[in-house]
Amino acid sequence: MEQVMALVTNAPSGGVNSRKVNITGESGDLVLQPIYTGICGTDRGIIAGALPFAYNPQGYDFLVMGHESICRVVESDIPLFRTGDLVVPMVRRPGRCLNCSAGRQDNCSDGDKHEAGITGKHGFMREQFRESSRYVVRVDDSSMERTGVLTEPTKNVMKLFEVFNVVSGRSIYPTPEYSLQGKHAWIIGTGSEGFLFSFMAREQGFDTVMTNRHSVDEGRLKIMDQFGIDFVDYSKDFDITVKDIDLLIDTSGDPSTILRFAQKVRFNGIVFLFGTNGRAPDGALSGAFVDHLVEKNITIAGSVDGAKRHYEQAVSYISKWTHEHPDAMSSLITGEMPATSADPFKRGNSESIKTIISWK
Ligand code: NAP
Ligand code: ZN
């Protein structure tokens, strides 16, 4: 493949620039052209040099950024995909452990996998790249050309709810018809992942609350309203407003906040840890809290990434949500920058949820 324009960093030291790159060793039966790529905290962390686990692909002194994307097929060597098809490439590529060999690199057990735009594999922020059809999922709904960029962050949500279904199978929700009616999901954090978890909690039938330690802007409240989600600013009257949690999903990564909310989880509840913040201060675990977890059968689980089937489920749900709540879905994307912009990674204001880069 000839030289293409790309947004590159030097991992793990950081920095970012837009330049022509010549990447040779990549094989695959498809050539993809990104339409949009999404920016998340991981990208900003890599650029800031704050993520020591990021590294350049072998033989390169740079790393092409980007792991969230929606792309168009521009060349296909196989009948299964045709020029013009919309697809989303997967981020994780398998290492050699058993889980990776079984296509479950989301559950990689020795850390030997690679992640596009993060660890040892070039990402998607470039004019075009060669890709194996094994690592892409098809997007049949053409109205998802823009919202489809949310597929990658949404696949994390699908994986977490798969784990939820396994854990809740231990007779957690014994309503006569096995519905979740009257059960409460609380999502800590009001970023893009927080929204996507809340949408799925609503799909499951939970009364759903998003919460943060401050109030949120009108734009966020409007999206919540369209999906029937409540908001609680927990800095006010915590003990009165925060109660009866059956499912707690944390996207803050803040230990003391997690512990504070976990104390409000009811019998047989589940706490999911999703957010990560290595720089957050420690939280203190008390004996009374351990008693609470044990005596109430509370499960605490971590969840990372997702498998191909979770990408496929993410595509279905984004399609559904894009048709049911088009305004809310498009409002999640609060900024769009051209790939040629001086600094597309610059953090937006407090109202920004998801910024995307246009490659059109
Ligand atoms: P984000 O936009 O930065 O969202 C994080 C949210 O948490 C923000 O709304 C932030 O609020 C809020 N928050 C921070 N501290 C809080 C506290 N003490 N109490 C309540 N809310 C608090 O990030 P994102 O893209 O949605 O991702 C969420 C997290 O998931 C990140 O930590 C990310 O690294 C992690 N992640 C995990 C996986 C995985 O596979 N497990 C995958 C992708 C991302 P304000 O900023 O408004 O104050
Ligand atoms: Zn592995």
Side-chain angles (χ1 to χ4, degrees), residues 201-234:
R202 290 292 297 136
E203 286 287 343
Q204 303 279 311
F206 280 105
D207 294 336
T208 304
V209 182
M210 292 181 80
T211 187
N212 207 322
R213 63 211 180 290
H214 49 64
S215 59
V216 292
D217 56 280
E218 274 303 312
R220 278 178 166 80
L221 291 174
K222 227 165 137 187
I223 300 173
M224 291 175 201
D225 189 48
Q226 290 183 36
F227 274 84
I229 296 162
D230 292 324
F231 173 74
V232 167
D233 169 358
Y234 73 79

PDB file of all heavy atoms in Angstrom, residues 201-234:
ATOM      1  N   ALA A 201     -29.093  -0.904  30.091  1.00  0.00           N
ATOM      2  CA  ALA A 201     -29.813  -1.216  31.329  1.00  0.00           C
ATOM      3  C   ALA A 201     -31.302  -0.983  31.114  1.00  0.00           C
ATOM      4  O   ALA A 201     -32.150  -1.769  31.565  1.00  0.00           O
ATOM      5  CB  ALA A 201     -29.282  -0.357  32.483  1.00  0.00           C
ATOM      6  N   ARG A 202     -31.656   0.080  30.382  1.00  0.00           N
ATOM      7  CA  ARG A 202     -33.062   0.338  30.056  1.00  0.00           C
ATOM      8  C   ARG A 202     -33.619  -0.802  29.204  1.00  0.00           C
ATOM      9  O   ARG A 202     -34.741  -1.257  29.408  1.00  0.00           O
ATOM     10  CB  ARG A 202     -33.219   1.665  29.303  1.00  0.00           C
ATOM     11  CG  ARG A 202     -32.978   2.889  30.135  1.00  0.00           C
ATOM     12  CD  ARG A 202     -34.045   3.095  31.200  1.00  0.00           C
ATOM     13  NE  ARG A 202     -35.372   3.319  30.652  1.00  0.00           N
ATOM     14  CZ  ARG A 202     -36.497   2.752  31.103  1.00  0.00           C
ATOM     15  NH1 ARG A 202     -36.450   1.913  32.118  1.00  0.00           N
ATOM     16  NH2 ARG A 202     -37.655   3.033  30.562  1.00  0.00           N
ATOM     17  N   GLU A 203     -32.825  -1.238  28.218  1.00  0.00           N
ATOM     18  CA  GLU A 203     -33.252  -2.353  27.359  1.00  0.00           C
ATOM     19  C   GLU A 203     -33.592  -3.584  28.191  1.00  0.00           C
ATOM     20  O   GLU A 203     -34.485  -4.341  27.857  1.00  0.00           O
ATOM     21  CB  GLU A 203     -32.134  -2.753  26.376  1.00  0.00           C
ATOM     22  CG  GLU A 203     -31.922  -1.803  25.237  1.00  0.00           C
ATOM     23  CD  GLU A 203     -33.039  -1.859  24.194  1.00  0.00           C
ATOM     24  OE1 GLU A 203     -33.809  -2.837  24.167  1.00  0.00           O
ATOM     25  OE2 GLU A 203     -33.140  -0.890  23.425  1.00  0.00           O
ATOM     26  N   GLN A 204     -32.834  -3.779  29.266  1.00  0.00           N
ATOM     27  CA  GLN A 204     -33.035  -4.963  30.110  1.00  0.00           C
ATOM     28  C   GLN A 204     -34.235  -4.786  31.029  1.00  0.00           C
ATOM     29  O   GLN A 204     -34.618  -5.722  31.713  1.00  0.00           O
ATOM     30  CB  GLN A 204     -31.795  -5.215  30.975  1.00  0.00           C
ATOM     31  CG  GLN A 204     -30.499  -5.378  30.203  1.00  0.00           C
ATOM     32  CD  GLN A 204     -30.330  -6.769  29.639  1.00  0.00           C
ATOM     33  OE1 GLN A 204     -30.503  -7.757  30.350  1.00  0.00           O
ATOM     34  NE2 GLN A 204     -30.018  -6.871  28.361  1.00  0.00           N
ATOM     35  N   GLY A 205     -34.784  -3.578  31.089  1.00  0.00           N
ATOM     36  CA  GLY A 205     -35.970  -3.342  31.910  1.00  0.00           C
ATOM     37  C   GLY A 205     -35.677  -2.715  33.255  1.00  0.00           C
ATOM     38  O   GLY A 205     -36.575  -2.589  34.094  1.00  0.00           O
ATOM     39  N   PHE A 206     -34.452  -2.326  33.503  1.00  0.00           N
ATOM     40  CA  PHE A 206     -34.119  -1.693  34.783  1.00  0.00           C
ATOM     41  C   PHE A 206     -34.654  -0.269  34.851  1.00  0.00           C
ATOM     42  O   PHE A 206     -34.641   0.459  33.852  1.00  0.00           O
ATOM     43  CB  PHE A 206     -32.591  -1.581  34.944  1.00  0.00           C
ATOM     44  CG  PHE A 206     -31.912  -2.840  35.395  1.00  0.00           C
ATOM     45  CD1 PHE A 206     -31.183  -3.601  34.505  1.00  0.00           C
ATOM     46  CD2 PHE A 206     -31.987  -3.241  36.720  1.00  0.00           C
ATOM     47  CE1 PHE A 206     -30.536  -4.748  34.922  1.00  0.00           C
ATOM     48  CE2 PHE A 206     -31.337  -4.394  37.151  1.00  0.00           C
ATOM     49  CZ  PHE A 206     -30.610  -5.153  36.241  1.00  0.00           C
ATOM     50  N   ASP A 207     -35.082   0.157  36.041  1.00  0.00           N
ATOM     51  CA  ASP A 207     -35.208   1.584  36.326  1.00  0.00           C
ATOM     52  C   ASP A 207     -33.761   2.057  36.405  1.00  0.00           C
ATOM     53  O   ASP A 207     -32.986   1.515  37.196  1.00  0.00           O
ATOM     54  CB  ASP A 207     -35.884   1.825  37.684  1.00  0.00           C
ATOM     55  CG  ASP A 207     -37.327   1.344  37.658  1.00  0.00           C
ATOM     56  OD1 ASP A 207     -37.906   1.277  36.558  1.00  0.00           O
ATOM     57  OD2 ASP A 207     -37.844   1.004  38.733  1.00  0.00           O
ATOM     58  N   THR A 208     -33.409   3.036  35.589  1.00  0.00           N
ATOM     59  CA  THR A 208     -31.982   3.339  35.424  1.00  0.00           C
ATOM     60  C   THR A 208     -31.659   4.766  35.846  1.00  0.00           C
ATOM     61  O   THR A 208     -32.370   5.707  35.468  1.00  0.00           O
ATOM     62  CB  THR A 208     -31.584   3.115  33.942  1.00  0.00           C
ATOM     63  OG1 THR A 208     -31.926   1.773  33.597  1.00  0.00           O
ATOM     64  CG2 THR A 208     -30.097   3.326  33.727  1.00  0.00           C
ATOM     65  N   VAL A 209     -30.593   4.890  36.629  1.00  0.00           N
ATOM     66  CA  VAL A 209     -30.156   6.201  37.105  1.00  0.00           C
ATOM     67  C   VAL A 209     -28.697   6.400  36.721  1.00  0.00           C
ATOM     68  O   VAL A 209     -27.861   5.531  36.952  1.00  0.00           O
ATOM     69  CB  VAL A 209     -30.256   6.288  38.656  1.00  0.00           C
ATOM     70  CG1 VAL A 209     -29.851   7.673  39.146  1.00  0.00           C
ATOM     71  CG2 VAL A 209     -31.652   5.940  39.140  1.00  0.00           C
ATOM     72  N   MET A 210     -28.392   7.559  36.116  1.00  0.00           N
ATOM     73  CA  MET A 210     -26.998   7.940  35.922  1.00  0.00           C
ATOM     74  C   MET A 210     -26.661   8.927  37.016  1.00  0.00           C
ATOM     75  O   MET A 210     -27.506   9.738  37.417  1.00  0.00           O
ATOM     76  CB  MET A 210     -26.791   8.602  34.554  1.00  0.00           C
ATOM     77  CG  MET A 210     -26.969   7.635  33.404  1.00  0.00           C
ATOM     78  SD  MET A 210     -26.699   8.436  31.785  1.00  0.00           S
ATOM     79  CE  MET A 210     -24.902   8.459  31.706  1.00  0.00           C
ATOM     80  N   THR A 211     -25.429   8.864  37.499  1.00  0.00           N
ATOM     81  CA  THR A 211     -25.083   9.736  38.619  1.00  0.00           C
ATOM     82  C   THR A 211     -23.668  10.289  38.472  1.00  0.00           C
ATOM     83  O   THR A 211     -22.806   9.654  37.858  1.00  0.00           O
ATOM     84  CB  THR A 211     -25.265   8.981  39.963  1.00  0.00           C
ATOM     85  OG1 THR A 211     -25.095   9.880  41.045  1.00  0.00           O
ATOM     86  CG2 THR A 211     -24.293   7.827  40.107  1.00  0.00           C
ATOM     87  N   ASN A 212     -23.483  11.483  39.005  1.00  0.00           N
ATOM     88  CA  ASN A 212     -22.167  12.105  39.035  1.00  0.00           C
ATOM     89  C   ASN A 212     -22.087  12.983  40.276  1.00  0.00           C
ATOM     90  O   ASN A 212     -23.096  13.197  40.948  1.00  0.00           O
ATOM     91  CB  ASN A 212     -21.912  12.915  37.753  1.00  0.00           C
ATOM     92  CG  ASN A 212     -20.420  13.021  37.435  1.00  0.00           C
ATOM     93  OD1 ASN A 212     -19.592  13.168  38.340  1.00  0.00           O
ATOM     94  ND2 ASN A 212     -20.079  12.951  36.163  1.00  0.00           N
ATOM     95  N   ARG A 213     -20.896  13.479  40.573  1.00  0.00           N
ATOM     96  CA  ARG A 213     -20.708  14.279  41.794  1.00  0.00           C
ATOM     97  C   ARG A 213     -20.986  15.744  41.554  1.00  0.00           C
ATOM     98  O   ARG A 213     -20.668  16.605  42.374  1.00  0.00           O
ATOM     99  CB  ARG A 213     -19.295  14.087  42.351  1.00  0.00           C
ATOM    100  CG  ARG A 213     -18.202  14.576  41.391  1.00  0.00           C
ATOM    101  CD  ARG A 213     -16.953  13.760  41.561  1.00  0.00           C
ATOM    102  NE  ARG A 213     -15.857  14.160  40.697  1.00  0.00           N
ATOM    103  CZ  ARG A 213     -15.815  13.997  39.375  1.00  0.00           C
ATOM    104  NH1 ARG A 213     -16.854  13.505  38.697  1.00  0.00           N
ATOM    105  NH2 ARG A 213     -14.749  14.333  38.705  1.00  0.00           N
ATOM    106  N   HIS A 214     -21.522  16.043  40.393  1.00  0.00           N
ATOM    107  CA  HIS A 214     -21.919  17.418  40.073  1.00  0.00           C
ATOM    108  C   HIS A 214     -23.130  17.349  39.152  1.00  0.00           C
ATOM    109  O   HIS A 214     -23.462  16.258  38.663  1.00  0.00           O
ATOM    110  CB  HIS A 214     -20.764  18.185  39.420  1.00  0.00           C
ATOM    111  CG  HIS A 214     -20.109  17.446  38.279  1.00  0.00           C
ATOM    112  ND1 HIS A 214     -20.770  17.136  37.110  1.00  0.00           N
ATOM    113  CD2 HIS A 214     -18.858  16.930  38.153  1.00  0.00           C
ATOM    114  CE1 HIS A 214     -19.947  16.479  36.304  1.00  0.00           C
ATOM    115  NE2 HIS A 214     -18.784  16.322  36.912  1.00  0.00           N
ATOM    116  N   SER A 215     -23.739  18.503  38.873  1.00  0.00           N
ATOM    117  CA  SER A 215     -24.879  18.499  37.962  1.00  0.00           C
ATOM    118  C   SER A 215     -24.360  18.326  36.539  1.00  0.00           C
ATOM    119  O   SER A 215     -23.152  18.432  36.299  1.00  0.00           O
ATOM    120  CB  SER A 215     -25.653  19.808  38.101  1.00  0.00           C
ATOM    121  OG  SER A 215     -24.783  20.883  37.808  1.00  0.00           O
ATOM    122  N   VAL A 216     -25.255  18.043  35.601  1.00  0.00           N
ATOM    123  CA  VAL A 216     -24.824  17.897  34.209  1.00  0.00           C
ATOM    124  C   VAL A 216     -25.601  18.869  33.325  1.00  0.00           C
ATOM    125  O   VAL A 216     -26.632  19.412  33.722  1.00  0.00           O
ATOM    126  CB  VAL A 216     -24.999  16.438  33.702  1.00  0.00           C
ATOM    127  CG1 VAL A 216     -24.032  15.499  34.407  1.00  0.00           C
ATOM    128  CG2 VAL A 216     -26.427  15.950  33.820  1.00  0.00           C
ATOM    129  N   ASP A 217     -25.070  19.083  32.124  1.00  0.00           N
ATOM    130  CA  ASP A 217     -25.635  20.072  31.204  1.00  0.00           C
ATOM    131  C   ASP A 217     -26.982  19.600  30.625  1.00  0.00           C
ATOM    132  O   ASP A 217     -27.326  18.417  30.692  1.00  0.00           O
ATOM    133  CB  ASP A 217     -24.640  20.339  30.073  1.00  0.00           C
ATOM    134  CG  ASP A 217     -24.260  19.057  29.361  1.00  0.00           C
ATOM    135  OD1 ASP A 217     -23.394  18.312  29.882  1.00  0.00           O
ATOM    136  OD2 ASP A 217     -24.873  18.746  28.331  1.00  0.00           O
ATOM    137  N   GLU A 218     -27.682  20.553  30.018  1.00  0.00           N
ATOM    138  CA  GLU A 218     -28.997  20.294  29.416  1.00  0.00           C
ATOM    139  C   GLU A 218     -28.933  19.186  28.359  1.00  0.00           C
ATOM    140  O   GLU A 218     -29.842  18.373  28.233  1.00  0.00           O
ATOM    141  CB  GLU A 218     -29.517  21.569  28.744  1.00  0.00           C
ATOM    142  CG  GLU A 218     -30.252  22.501  29.692  1.00  0.00           C
ATOM    143  CD  GLU A 218     -31.429  21.806  30.383  1.00  0.00           C
ATOM    144  OE1 GLU A 218     -32.227  21.149  29.684  1.00  0.00           O
ATOM    145  OE2 GLU A 218     -31.530  21.921  31.620  1.00  0.00           O
ATOM    146  N   GLY A 219     -27.860  19.204  27.570  1.00  0.00           N
ATOM    147  CA  GLY A 219     -27.720  18.218  26.487  1.00  0.00           C
ATOM    148  C   GLY A 219     -27.767  16.798  27.031  1.00  0.00           C
ATOM    149  O   GLY A 219     -28.493  15.933  26.524  1.00  0.00           O
ATOM    150  N   ARG A 220     -27.033  16.571  28.111  1.00  0.00           N
ATOM    151  CA  ARG A 220     -27.027  15.234  28.717  1.00  0.00           C
ATOM    152  C   ARG A 220     -28.419  14.885  29.260  1.00  0.00           C
ATOM    153  O   ARG A 220     -28.906  13.768  29.090  1.00  0.00           O
ATOM    154  CB  ARG A 220     -25.998  15.164  29.843  1.00  0.00           C
ATOM    155  CG  ARG A 220     -24.572  14.906  29.344  1.00  0.00           C
ATOM    156  CD  ARG A 220     -23.613  14.893  30.538  1.00  0.00           C
ATOM    157  NE  ARG A 220     -22.305  14.353  30.219  1.00  0.00           N
ATOM    158  CZ  ARG A 220     -21.336  15.038  29.608  1.00  0.00           C
ATOM    159  NH1 ARG A 220     -21.544  16.278  29.222  1.00  0.00           N
ATOM    160  NH2 ARG A 220     -20.161  14.471  29.368  1.00  0.00           N
ATOM    161  N   LEU A 221     -29.046  15.870  29.949  1.00  0.00           N
ATOM    162  CA  LEU A 221     -30.364  15.594  30.545  1.00  0.00           C
ATOM    163  C   LEU A 221     -31.378  15.233  29.463  1.00  0.00           C
ATOM    164  O   LEU A 221     -32.231  14.368  29.651  1.00  0.00           O
ATOM    165  CB  LEU A 221     -30.840  16.813  31.349  1.00  0.00           C
ATOM    166  CG  LEU A 221     -30.042  17.101  32.621  1.00  0.00           C
ATOM    167  CD1 LEU A 221     -30.506  18.405  33.265  1.00  0.00           C
ATOM    168  CD2 LEU A 221     -30.147  15.947  33.629  1.00  0.00           C
ATOM    169  N   LYS A 222     -31.240  15.877  28.307  1.00  0.00           N
ATOM    170  CA  LYS A 222     -32.173  15.620  27.205  1.00  0.00           C
ATOM    171  C   LYS A 222     -32.016  14.190  26.671  1.00  0.00           C
ATOM    172  O   LYS A 222     -33.004  13.503  26.414  1.00  0.00           O
ATOM    173  CB  LYS A 222     -31.895  16.618  26.068  1.00  0.00           C
ATOM    174  CG  LYS A 222     -33.141  17.261  25.534  1.00  0.00           C
ATOM    175  CD  LYS A 222     -32.799  18.460  24.699  1.00  0.00           C
ATOM    176  CE  LYS A 222     -33.668  18.453  23.442  1.00  0.00           C
ATOM    177  NZ  LYS A 222     -33.290  19.495  22.510  1.00  0.00           N
ATOM    178  N   ILE A 223     -30.759  13.753  26.548  1.00  0.00           N
ATOM    179  CA  ILE A 223     -30.524  12.377  26.076  1.00  0.00           C
ATOM    180  C   ILE A 223     -31.112  11.394  27.087  1.00  0.00           C
ATOM    181  O   ILE A 223     -31.808  10.441  26.726  1.00  0.00           O
ATOM    182  CB  ILE A 223     -29.013  12.104  25.882  1.00  0.00           C
ATOM    183  CG1 ILE A 223     -28.409  13.061  24.851  1.00  0.00           C
ATOM    184  CG2 ILE A 223     -28.774  10.643  25.463  1.00  0.00           C
ATOM    185  CD1 ILE A 223     -26.895  12.984  24.720  1.00  0.00           C
ATOM    186  N   MET A 224     -30.852  11.651  28.372  1.00  0.00           N
ATOM    187  CA  MET A 224     -31.376  10.758  29.420  1.00  0.00           C
ATOM    188  C   MET A 224     -32.894  10.697  29.343  1.00  0.00           C
ATOM    189  O   MET A 224     -33.503   9.630  29.435  1.00  0.00           O
ATOM    190  CB  MET A 224     -30.953  11.254  30.809  1.00  0.00           C
ATOM    191  CG  MET A 224     -29.465  11.123  31.071  1.00  0.00           C
ATOM    192  SD  MET A 224     -29.054  11.861  32.672  1.00  0.00           S
ATOM    193  CE  MET A 224     -27.309  12.160  32.478  1.00  0.00           C
ATOM    194  N   ASP A 225     -33.505  11.884  29.167  1.00  0.00           N
ATOM    195  CA  ASP A 225     -34.950  11.968  29.128  1.00  0.00           C
ATOM    196  C   ASP A 225     -35.506  11.105  27.991  1.00  0.00           C
ATOM    197  O   ASP A 225     -36.490  10.387  28.160  1.00  0.00           O
ATOM    198  CB  ASP A 225     -35.325  13.450  28.951  1.00  0.00           C
ATOM    199  CG  ASP A 225     -36.804  13.643  29.121  1.00  0.00           C
ATOM    200  OD1 ASP A 225     -37.325  13.123  30.113  1.00  0.00           O
ATOM    201  OD2 ASP A 225     -37.432  14.282  28.256  1.00  0.00           O
ATOM    202  N   GLN A 226     -34.874  11.168  26.829  1.00  0.00           N
ATOM    203  CA  GLN A 226     -35.388  10.411  25.684  1.00  0.00           C
ATOM    204  C   GLN A 226     -35.314   8.905  25.909  1.00  0.00           C
ATOM    205  O   GLN A 226     -36.112   8.156  25.380  1.00  0.00           O
ATOM    206  CB  GLN A 226     -34.642  10.820  24.414  1.00  0.00           C
ATOM    207  CG  GLN A 226     -35.036  12.236  24.010  1.00  0.00           C
ATOM    208  CD  GLN A 226     -34.392  12.697  22.720  1.00  0.00           C
ATOM    209  OE1 GLN A 226     -34.209  11.929  21.794  1.00  0.00           O
ATOM    210  NE2 GLN A 226     -34.032  13.964  22.666  1.00  0.00           N
ATOM    211  N   PHE A 227     -34.331   8.476  26.693  1.00  0.00           N
ATOM    212  CA  PHE A 227     -34.206   7.044  26.975  1.00  0.00           C
ATOM    213  C   PHE A 227     -34.896   6.647  28.284  1.00  0.00           C
ATOM    214  O   PHE A 227     -34.823   5.490  28.695  1.00  0.00           O
ATOM    215  CB  PHE A 227     -32.726   6.641  27.037  1.00  0.00           C
ATOM    216  CG  PHE A 227     -32.131   6.315  25.696  1.00  0.00           C
ATOM    217  CD1 PHE A 227     -31.643   7.318  24.869  1.00  0.00           C
ATOM    218  CD2 PHE A 227     -32.063   5.001  25.241  1.00  0.00           C
ATOM    219  CE1 PHE A 227     -31.098   7.019  23.629  1.00  0.00           C
ATOM    220  CE2 PHE A 227     -31.518   4.691  24.007  1.00  0.00           C
ATOM    221  CZ  PHE A 227     -31.031   5.695  23.193  1.00  0.00           C
ATOM    222  N   GLY A 228     -35.525   7.611  28.970  1.00  0.00           N
ATOM    223  CA  GLY A 228     -36.209   7.276  30.228  1.00  0.00           C
ATOM    224  C   GLY A 228     -35.249   6.984  31.362  1.00  0.00           C
ATOM    225  O   GLY A 228     -35.503   6.124  32.215  1.00  0.00           O
ATOM    226  N   ILE A 229     -34.121   7.704  31.378  1.00  0.00           N
ATOM    227  CA  ILE A 229     -33.098   7.519  32.414  1.00  0.00           C
ATOM    228  C   ILE A 229     -33.171   8.716  33.370  1.00  0.00           C
ATOM    229  O   ILE A 229     -33.346   9.856  32.931  1.00  0.00           O
ATOM    230  CB  ILE A 229     -31.695   7.462  31.750  1.00  0.00           C
ATOM    231  CG1 ILE A 229     -31.589   6.237  30.841  1.00  0.00           C
ATOM    232  CG2 ILE A 229     -30.582   7.476  32.791  1.00  0.00           C
ATOM    233  CD1 ILE A 229     -30.451   6.321  29.830  1.00  0.00           C
ATOM    234  N   ASP A 230     -33.044   8.447  34.686  1.00  0.00           N
ATOM    235  CA  ASP A 230     -33.024   9.543  35.658  1.00  0.00           C
ATOM    236  C   ASP A 230     -31.590   9.968  35.941  1.00  0.00           C
ATOM    237  O   ASP A 230     -30.655   9.197  35.710  1.00  0.00           O
ATOM    238  CB  ASP A 230     -33.675   9.088  36.980  1.00  0.00           C
ATOM    239  CG  ASP A 230     -35.164   8.858  36.803  1.00  0.00           C
ATOM    240  OD1 ASP A 230     -35.796   9.614  36.045  1.00  0.00           O
ATOM    241  OD2 ASP A 230     -35.677   7.895  37.409  1.00  0.00           O
ATOM    242  N   PHE A 231     -31.441  11.183  36.473  1.00  0.00           N
ATOM    243  CA  PHE A 231     -30.100  11.630  36.867  1.00  0.00           C
ATOM    244  C   PHE A 231     -30.109  12.046  38.323  1.00  0.00           C
ATOM    245  O   PHE A 231     -31.048  12.694  38.790  1.00  0.00           O
ATOM    246  CB  PHE A 231     -29.635  12.815  36.007  1.00  0.00           C
ATOM    247  CG  PHE A 231     -28.332  13.380  36.513  1.00  0.00           C
ATOM    248  CD1 PHE A 231     -27.150  12.686  36.301  1.00  0.00           C
ATOM    249  CD2 PHE A 231     -28.296  14.553  37.250  1.00  0.00           C
ATOM    250  CE1 PHE A 231     -25.940  13.172  36.805  1.00  0.00           C
ATOM    251  CE2 PHE A 231     -27.092  15.051  37.756  1.00  0.00           C
ATOM    252  CZ  PHE A 231     -25.919  14.349  37.527  1.00  0.00           C
ATOM    253  N   VAL A 232     -29.060  11.670  39.056  1.00  0.00           N
ATOM    254  CA  VAL A 232     -28.902  12.105  40.449  1.00  0.00           C
ATOM    255  C   VAL A 232     -27.512  12.718  40.618  1.00  0.00           C
ATOM    256  O   VAL A 232     -26.508  12.093  40.257  1.00  0.00           O
ATOM    257  CB  VAL A 232     -29.088  10.914  41.431  1.00  0.00           C
ATOM    258  CG1 VAL A 232     -28.615  11.283  42.829  1.00  0.00           C
ATOM    259  CG2 VAL A 232     -30.544  10.465  41.468  1.00  0.00           C
ATOM    260  N   ASP A 233     -27.490  13.961  41.133  1.00  0.00           N
ATOM    261  CA  ASP A 233     -26.231  14.586  41.535  1.00  0.00           C
ATOM    262  C   ASP A 233     -26.000  14.116  42.969  1.00  0.00           C
ATOM    263  O   ASP A 233     -26.647  14.605  43.893  1.00  0.00           O
ATOM    264  CB  ASP A 233     -26.386  16.113  41.450  1.00  0.00           C
ATOM    265  CG  ASP A 233     -25.220  16.851  42.095  1.00  0.00           C
ATOM    266  OD1 ASP A 233     -24.308  16.197  42.638  1.00  0.00           O
ATOM    267  OD2 ASP A 233     -25.235  18.098  42.047  1.00  0.00           O
ATOM    268  N   TYR A 234     -25.089  13.156  43.148  1.00  0.00           N
ATOM    269  CA  TYR A 234     -24.989  12.503  44.459  1.00  0.00           C
ATOM    270  C   TYR A 234     -24.250  13.348  45.501  1.00  0.00           C
ATOM    271  O   TYR A 234     -24.134  12.939  46.658  1.00  0.00           O
ATOM    272  CB  TYR A 234     -24.388  11.094  44.333  1.00  0.00           C
ATOM    273  CG  TYR A 234     -22.904  11.029  44.037  1.00  0.00           C
ATOM    274  CD1 TYR A 234     -21.953  11.227  45.033  1.00  0.00           C
ATOM    275  CD2 TYR A 234     -22.448  10.724  42.762  1.00  0.00           C
ATOM    276  CE1 TYR A 234     -20.598  11.155  44.766  1.00  0.00           C
ATOM    277  CE2 TYR A 234     -21.088  10.643  42.481  1.00  0.00           C
ATOM    278  CZ  TYR A 234     -20.175  10.862  43.483  1.00  0.00           C
ATOM    279  OH  TYR A 234     -18.849  10.792  43.205  1.00  0.00           O
TER     280      TYR A 234
END
